[in-house]
Amino acid sequence: MRISVEKSLFSKILTHQQSLINRRSTTVPILSHILIEANYSKQGEPILSVHGTDMEMSLWEKEVIKPFESPGSSVVCAHLLYEIVRKIDDQWVTLEGFEDYVTIRGGAAEFRLPTLPVAEFPLMETQDLPFELSIHPGLLADVIKDTSFCIATEETRYALAGTCFHFRENNQKEIFCNVVATDGHRLALSQLTNIVINEPKIPVGASLLVIGRRTIQSMVKLLESDPGEQVSFRFSSNQISLQGTKFQFFSRLLIDRFPDYMSAIPQNHIFSVKFDPKELMKSLDRVGMVIEERTRSVKLMFHPNGLTLSANSAQGSAKEVVKISYDGEEFTLIFNIRYLSEICQHSRGNIMTMKATKGQNPVVFQDVNRETLYVLMPISN
Amino acid sequence: MRISVEKSLFSKILTHQQSLINRRSTTVPILSHILIEANYSKQGEPILSVHGTDMEMSLWEKEVIKPFESPGSSVVCAHLLYEIVRKIDDQWVTLEGFEDYVTIRGGAAEFRLPTLPVAEFPLMETQDLPFELSIHPGLLADVIKDTSFCIATEETRYALAGTCFHFRENNQKEIFCNVVATDGHRLALSQLTNIVINEPKIPVGASLLVIGRRTIQSMVKLLESDPGEQVSFRFSSNQISLQGTKFQFFSRLLIDRFPDYMSAIPQNHIFSVKFDPKELMKSLDRVGMVIEERTRSVKLMFHPNGLTLSANSAQGSAKEVVKISYDGEEFTLIFNIRYLSEICQHSRGNIMTMKATKGQNPVVFQDVNRETLYVLMPISN
């Protein structure tokens, strides 16, 4: 193999692999490596293909490059190749594969990296996935980003360690998909509507997919860098795939069942308050300065046209009055300040509605004119 | 006490204190606090004074503020006050002192911080320092920054844990000061020349001052933010002080003796090479990517008009040819890559000269047209 690739293009491809390659895979060293292949397609196009896997996820990326003299393939350290290409002081990078090493050249620099046998490069078992929908990559990235900050981080909550895609049918027989993440304290629900799926009936087993945190992170990066209008999202009961303009991505799903999230969303409310989420976030940031890590609770007292935030600790106390649109009776709620702040941070508008009942019941937050909703449990007094 | 202070001014004063206050002083809590005083001067000016100490260093900063109703003083947590003032959403901050707390107000926010008794605030013992020189703050900051990256970081090398200011007299009876830092592997020497000191004779005990690393860091911050043309640098055999436009700073000195640095600077050389330090730094950065943390050595092979850098490890190998100005015989040196890179980084010009001899002898680096020099020991083959 001897190819010349534009630095910016090569760098972009290698960046995508970084999110799924396990850099410190010392027990299985080949998992910290990627497979680089140069070959002519059936149509005679010179193609560079890069493949990486951690055995849970697999990513192939293909690009047409300038014609090369000799095809071939090599398995090299993903991280080091990425760093080298990124720092090369030239527009073009030349990669040449030999028996047990590759050379990388660009500018005045030349690198030699050892390779591992191509035959030993692991292939994740992938299936033909029966269900498919086409979707704008930005739209899919948005519903994932709107929800995924609520994924559980505690190791023990394995069933909540991912984002749930739940395909359902409404009364008009239209398919929609609830995109849900929760860590037991808070919940985020977004929706993909007016979906067209190639198969009219999705069996129960494949209608609820739980996609793990690392897969979610890799998906967002791939979707955000895809220049196309559509990606193909395919799924079965235990795998998903994404096919974009230049890449193909596979991932296993979490096998745990996802909890019944619909029952966590309150249907009624007594109080309804409108506020500016960006302003509330700044106020929370200030009031939160006096809170020590362990307590982390902030008190919200709602009164006509005002919300008084207050926080206390041995370090000191703080309060701040925030302007809101509310004219009902006074009431008080206590929240984990970080959870409340993150909801405000993920809002996309200037007005958010909060709906609450009396007592220790979940509270609903929603941007005006937007389907995504957040549910947050208050803390008891 | 009840005062209103401009946020930007108050924030700047509190920033200076952050570099010397020990934020996590749990055994002596008052050391994580600062003393805030508001008083009218003899001339009737309304003065805010802020004082902090870690018992090794002491910093007073005074500013004329807008007239206030009631003077007074309070001892509050330095870090929290700094964070609060920084985040307040208003141009003005109001501070009000009570029996055992202060309130801080700005925008819609109000904070209450507990205070400690003013009478218990520790005062570092300071002396009347006999020797004084006036110097431009930027000039003093520069000689410190040029050298202090060579201060030893190993805990055991206590005698090298600071920058040495060595006052001497040349043949024309002019006083100059060598500013030196070394960690035993490398050495940096800068100079203050044409110095005028108030006392014509400095006794031996006070002519060599070793200023500890933390003091050095605080000094740079104070000097760089001083808007004046001159600061007063005073010293005795065991203390220094800096007096700027608005601040007064004291620090104890390290009592250890500094090694005889002059003998470490080679006087002769065989090879002399000119190179662009910024270009060499970029090349070292690239070649260094293949080096594992433990070895960290880079090989430099000098040949007419070229320097070949090379590095090797189990991860791979790298080489790069750098253009240099040299026409002598070929020779090779091996350096710690980080040390060599840091010397290039601290250069201020486009041309640096390297002077070396054959064998394992120290190598001298110097910017063209500049007094500061660096000495670096090569690594044996």
Side-chain angles (χ1 to χ4, degrees):
Chain A
M1 175 172 58
R2 188 187 153 90
I3 54 171
S4 279
V5 191
E6 252 186 301
K7 175 187 155 154
S8 57
L9 174 74
F10 205 4
S11 192
K12 202 186 82 183
I13 297 174
L14 296 171
T15 305
H16 293 156
Q17 296 286 352
Q18 297 308 304
S19 68
L20 61 126
I21 296 294
N22 186 348
R23 190 176 156 187
R24 302 266 176 237
S25 181
T26 43
T27 43
V28 190
I30 208 163
L31 290 182
S32 64
H33 285 54
I34 47 174
L35 173 65
I36 311 271
E37 275 185 302
N39 253 311
Y40 282 92
S41 69
K42 283 172 195 163
Q43 292 78 36
E45 283 178 321
I47 304 285
L48 166 68
S49 147
V50 177
H51 177 210
T53 182
D54 69 348
M55 301 310 279
E56 291 290 321
M57 296 181 263
S58 237
L59 173 65
W60 281 266
E61 199 158 345
K62 283 184 169 43
E63 282 282 354
V64 177
I65 57 172
K66 79 171 184 188
F68 47 81
E69 285 157 37
S70 90
S73 52
S74 291
V75 172
V76 290
C77 172
H79 173 70
L80 208 49
L81 183 61
Y82 162 73
E83 287 289 347
I84 287 171
V85 170
R86 205 165 63 89
K87 287 192 178 168
I88 268 180
D89 185 24
D90 200 343
Q91 263 196 289
W92 291 87
V93 177
T94 303
L95 190 84
E96 196 167 359
F98 295 94
E99 179 80 25
D100 53 3
Y101 66 92
V102 293
T103 61
I104 304 132
R105 287 198 196 86
E110 177 182 324
F111 298 86
R112 182 185 284 211
L113 300 187
T115 53
L116 293 176
V118 172
E120 286 174 22
F121 195 76
L123 288 176
M124 186 181 124
E125 207 180 293
T126 56
Q127 313 155 341
D128 242 1
L129 303 176
F131 307 105
E132 179 181 13
L133 71 106
S134 281
I135 186 167
H136 187 277
L139 188 63
L140 183 54
D142 279 352
V143 294
I144 293 176
K145 285 191 292 179
D146 284 348
T147 51
S148 59
F149 70 98
C150 290
I151 295 177
T153 49
E154 295 151 58
E155 294 274 334
T156 49
R157 299 195 163 233
Y158 190 67
L160 305 179
T163 297
C164 166
F165 278 66
H166 190 189
F167 292 93
R168 304 182 68 182
E169 214 177 71
N170 68 12
N171 296 336
Q172 287 80 46
K173 301 275 179 191
E174 293 163 346
I175 295 176
F176 65 97
C177 178
N178 283 337
V179 181
V180 192
T182 177
D183 61 4
H185 306 291
R186 52 189 171 152
L187 177 147
L189 167 66
S190 195
Q191 230 170 39
L192 295 170
T193 49
N194 298 317
I195 294 173
V196 179
I197 290 185
N198 60 328
E199 299 273 341
K201 270 277 169 248
I202 307 169
V204 175
S207 70
L208 195 149
L209 320 169
V210 186
I211 306 178
R213 168 197 300 282
R214 291 192 60 235
T215 301
I216 285 289
Q217 287 164 347
S218 295
M219 281 171 75
V220 169
K221 283 183 189 151
L222 286 170
L223 290 166
E224 287 191 329
S225 75
D226 193 276
E229 284 298 306
Q230 298 281 315
V231 292
S232 155
F233 179 71
R234 289 176 157 268
F235 55 99
S236 70
S237 60
N238 56 17
Q239 275 195 10
I240 55 151
S241 78
L242 268 184
Q243 177 143 13
T245 323
K246 306 286 178 67
F247 71 86
Q248 184 155 32
F249 174 77
F250 277 87
S251 175
R252 291 183 210 274
L253 297 172
L254 297 190
I255 47 161
D256 269 81
R257 289 194 54 163
F258 204 73
D260 173 18
Y261 60 88
M262 285 310 291
S263 67
I265 302 170
Q267 300 303 317
N268 305 308
H269 67 271
I270 298 172
F271 309 109
S272 174
V273 179
K274 285 192 169 52
F275 61 91
D276 180 335
K278 301 302 171 205
E279 286 304 314
L280 181 60
M281 195 170 80
K282 284 185 211 160
S283 299
L284 287 169
D285 187 33
R286 281 188 288 270
V287 166
M289 281 185 287
V290 298
I291 306 179
E292 282 150 292
E293 270 309 298
R294 269 161 284 176
T295 52
R296 291 192 305 196
S297 70
V298 61
K299 188 169 172 178
L300 287 74
M301 211 182 78
F302 296 86
H303 40 87
N305 291 315
L307 157 60
T308 304
L309 301 177
S310 61
N312 274 294
S313 81
Q315 288 194 75
S317 64
K319 68 176 181 212
E320 181 160 339
V321 182
V322 184
K323 279 187 200 137
I324 54 164
S325 171
Y326 176 65
D327 56 6
E329 64 173 303
E330 248 182 57
F331 71 104
T332 298
L333 289 169
I334 299 174
F335 287 118
N336 176 309
I337 194 167
R338 181 165 71 82
Y339 293 165
L340 181 57
S341 189
E342 284 184 354
I343 288 173
C344 295
Q345 192 191 327
H346 282 82
S347 147
R348 289 173 192 259
N350 291 326
I351 307 173
M352 201 170 218
T353 311
M354 189 195 88
K355 290 177 178 167
T357 53
K358 289 189 177 181
Q360 289 301 303
N361 295 310
V363 177
V364 177
F365 295 83
Q366 196 160 17
D367 275 344
V368 168
N369 304 324
R370 192 155 154 268
E371 284 304 308
T372 306
L373 66 81
Y374 299 102
V375 180
L376 180 57
M377 265 316 271
I379 299 169
S380 58
N381 265 306
Chain B
M1 174 173 59
R2 187 186 153 90
I3 54 172
S4 280
V5 191
E6 253 185 303
K7 175 189 156 152
S8 57
L9 174 73
F10 206 5
S11 191
K12 201 186 83 184
I13 298 174
L14 296 170
T15 305
H16 293 156
Q17 295 287 351
Q18 296 308 305
S19 69
L20 62 124
I21 297 294
N22 186 348
R23 190 177 156 188
R24 302 263 175 240
S25 180
T26 44
T27 43
V28 190
I30 208 162
L31 290 182
S32 64
H33 285 54
I34 47 174
L35 173 65
I36 311 272
E37 274 185 302
N39 253 311
Y40 282 91
S41 70
K42 284 172 195 161
Q43 292 78 36
E45 284 178 319
I47 305 283
L48 166 69
S49 146
V50 177
H51 176 208
T53 181
D54 69 349
M55 300 309 279
E56 292 290 322
M57 298 180 262
S58 236
L59 173 64
W60 282 266
E61 199 156 346
K62 283 185 170 43
E63 282 283 354
V64 178
I65 56 172
K66 77 172 185 189
F68 46 82
E69 286 158 37
S70 91
S73 52
S74 294
V75 172
V76 289
C77 173
H79 173 69
L80 208 49
L81 183 60
Y82 162 71
E83 288 288 347
I84 287 171
V85 170
R86 206 164 61 90
K87 288 193 177 168
I88 267 180
D89 185 24
D90 200 344
Q91 263 196 290
W92 290 87
V93 177
T94 303
L95 191 84
E96 198 168 357
F98 295 94
E99 180 78 27
D100 53 4
Y101 65 93
V102 293
T103 61
I104 304 130
R105 287 197 197 86
E110 178 183 322
F111 298 86
R112 183 185 282 213
L113 300 187
T115 53
L116 294 176
V118 171
E120 285 173 22
F121 195 77
L123 288 176
M124 187 182 125
E125 208 180 290
T126 56
Q127 313 156 342
D128 243 1
L129 303 177
F131 308 104
E132 179 180 13
L133 70 106
S134 282
I135 186 168
H136 186 277
L139 189 62
L140 184 53
D142 278 353
V143 293
I144 293 176
K145 284 190 293 178
D146 284 349
T147 51
S148 60
F149 70 97
C150 291
I151 295 177
T153 49
E154 295 152 59
E155 295 274 333
T156 49
R157 298 195 164 233
Y158 190 70
L160 304 179
T163 297
C164 166
F165 277 67
H166 190 189
F167 293 93
R168 305 182 67 182
E169 214 178 69
N170 67 13
N171 297 336
Q172 286 80 45
K173 300 273 178 191
E174 294 163 343
I175 295 176
F176 65 96
C177 179
N178 284 338
V179 181
V180 192
T182 177
D183 61 5
H185 306 291
R186 52 191 173 152
L187 177 147
L189 167 66
S190 195
Q191 231 171 38
L192 296 170
T193 49
N194 298 316
I195 296 173
V196 180
I197 290 184
N198 61 330
E199 299 274 340
K201 270 278 170 251
I202 308 170
V204 174
S207 70
L208 194 149
L209 320 169
V210 186
I211 305 178
R213 169 198 299 281
R214 291 192 59 235
T215 301
I216 284 290
Q217 288 163 349
S218 296
M219 283 172 74
V220 170
K221 282 184 191 152
L222 286 168
L223 291 166
E224 288 191 327
S225 75
D226 193 276
E229 284 297 308
Q230 297 282 315
V231 292
S232 154
F233 179 71
R234 288 177 158 268
F235 56 98
S236 70
S237 60
N238 55 17
Q239 275 194 9
I240 56 151
S241 79
L242 268 185
Q243 176 142 13
T245 324
K246 307 285 177 70
F247 70 87
Q248 185 154 33
F249 175 78
F250 277 89
S251 175
R252 291 184 209 275
L253 297 172
L254 296 190
I255 47 163
D256 269 81
R257 290 195 52 163
F258 203 75
D260 172 18
Y261 59 89
M262 286 309 291
S263 68
I265 301 169
Q267 300 303 316
N268 305 308
H269 66 273
I270 298 172
F271 309 108
S272 175
V273 180
K274 285 192 167 54
F275 61 91
D276 179 335
K278 301 304 172 205
E279 286 304 313
L280 181 60
M281 195 170 79
K282 285 185 210 160
S283 300
L284 286 169
D285 187 32
R286 280 189 288 269
V287 167
M289 282 185 285
V290 299
I291 306 179
E292 281 150 293
E293 270 310 296
R294 269 160 284 177
T295 53
R296 293 192 303 198
S297 70
V298 61
K299 188 168 173 180
L300 287 76
M301 211 182 78
F302 297 87
H303 40 87
N305 292 315
L307 156 60
T308 303
L309 302 178
S310 60
N312 273 295
S313 81
Q315 287 195 76
S317 64
K319 68 176 182 208
E320 179 160 340
V321 181
V322 184
K323 278 187 199 137
I324 55 166
S325 171
Y326 177 65
D327 56 7
E329 63 172 303
E330 248 184 56
F331 71 104
T332 299
L333 289 169
I334 299 174
F335 287 117
N336 176 309
I337 194 165
R338 180 166 72 82
Y339 293 165
L340 181 58
S341 189
E342 284 184 355
I343 288 173
C344 295
Q345 191 191 330
H346 282 83
S347 147
R348 290 173 192 260
N350 291 326
I351 307 173
M352 199 168 220
T353 312
M354 188 195 89
K355 289 177 179 167
T357 54
K358 288 189 177 180
Q360 289 299 303
N361 294 310
V363 177
V364 177
F365 294 84
Q366 196 161 14
D367 274 343
V368 169
N369 304 324
R370 190 154 157 269
E371 284 305 308
T372 306
L373 66 81
Y374 300 101
V375 180
L376 180 57
M377 266 317 270
I379 299 169
S380 58
N381 266 303

